[in-house]
Amino acid sequence: MNDYVLLLTGIACAGFGGELFVRGTVGIASVLRIAPSVIAVTIAAFATSSPELSVAINSGLAGKSQLSLGDALGSNIVNISLVLGFTLLISGIPVSKEVLKRDAPVAILVPLLIAIFLIDNIIDRLEGLFMLVFFGAWMATTLKQALKERAPAGGRVRTVDRLVPLLQGVGGLILLVVAGRLIVVSTAGIARDFAIDDFIIGATLVAFGTSVPELASTVLAKIKGHDEIGVGTVLGSNIFNSLFYCSHCGYHQTD
């Protein structure tokens, strides 16, 4: 199929998937009695970052870690500049104290850590292991706080009421993943037609493609008044990109 048709199809999937994703995330958080921001910064962030994971695995196996490293770093830039910037054009975004204390410092610190690791032009295995340990500590802290702050049970929830948001969330995430994959494939194909370097492709067109799920979910969350979902998804996605995916890229980074 033509790369431009794939690109348009991916954008359409992102829009529809983002709508379902926001509805499902709010519903799931209500059923589990935890803050929507926790769902966004963990499960949702991982799911919307799955295109980056796909790029990291496939490019690593193909011996093209420059592409995956460029994608992981470029996606962080796109998330902060384009995704949050575009969302802020709609209106300001209130951020909870929990997010400011727990997630924002990690999202800011990690890019600086990667910059230090890249001074010698390589992220080695030991540095990759350190990043994974850091990621595990952050994830454990987030989940522990989420369980501690669960709201008290407010009566029994019908099975149907539990199932609907789950189906909406899963369906939305599937569409967002498909959208990211279609946009990655199409933009990479378009870029290679112009003989662009792998790292540049990863840091620009592929990074934009893999950030479309975050863009769709964040903007739609803002429009629907669920700011905590949008901010959580962006911050969580950046943490996943930097700590989890870059640690895998490093095993192959030798340039």
Side-chain angles (χ1 to χ4, degrees), residues 1-15 50-52 54-55 58 174-190 205-206 208-213:
M1 188 180 293
N2 184 279
D3 287 330
Y4 295 96
V5 175
L6 287 178
L7 179 59
L8 292 175
T9 303
I11 292 173
C13 287
S50 60
E52 283 92 337
S54 175
V55 171
N58 291 322
I174 290 174
L175 285 174
L176 287 173
V177 170
V178 170
R181 182 59 182 165
L182 289 175
I183 293 172
V184 166
V185 171
S186 60
T187 52
I190 294 170
L205 292 177
V206 176
F208 173 77
T210 56
S211 295
V212 166

Side-chain angles (χ1 to χ4, degrees), residues 109-173:
L109 175 63
V110 171
L112 298 177
L113 181 66
I114 294 176
I116 294 173
F117 286 164
L118 284 173
I119 289 176
D120 58 356
N121 295 322
I122 183 172
I123 301 177
D124 60 32
R125 290 181 181 272
L126 183 59
E127 292 166 340
L129 178 61
F130 176 81
M131 292 163 69
L132 286 177
V133 172
F134 191 175
F135 173 78
W138 167 78
M139 179 64 77
T141 300
T142 301
L143 295 179
K144 181 179 179 180
Q145 183 177 348
L147 293 175
K148 182 179 179 181
E149 297 177 355
R150 289 185 73 187
R156 299 185 62 182
V157 181
R158 295 183 306 167
T159 302
V160 174
D161 294 333
R162 293 176 181 269
L163 187 60
V164 171
L166 179 61
L167 292 176
Q168 289 177 330
V170 171
L173 289 177

Side-chain angles (χ1 to χ4, degrees), residues 75-122:
S75 292
N76 286 356
I77 296 173
V78 172
N79 284 343
I80 296 298
S81 60
L82 178 63
V83 176
L84 278 184
F86 189 80
T87 306
L88 286 169
L89 288 177
I90 300 174
S91 66
I93 301 177
V95 182
S96 67
K97 292 182 179 179
E98 290 75 15
V99 171
L100 288 176
K101 291 180 180 179
R102 183 191 63 223
D103 305 322
V106 177
I108 294 172
L109 175 63
V110 171
L112 298 177
L113 181 66
I114 294 176
I116 294 173
F117 286 164
L118 284 173
I119 289 176
D120 58 356
N121 295 322
I122 183 172

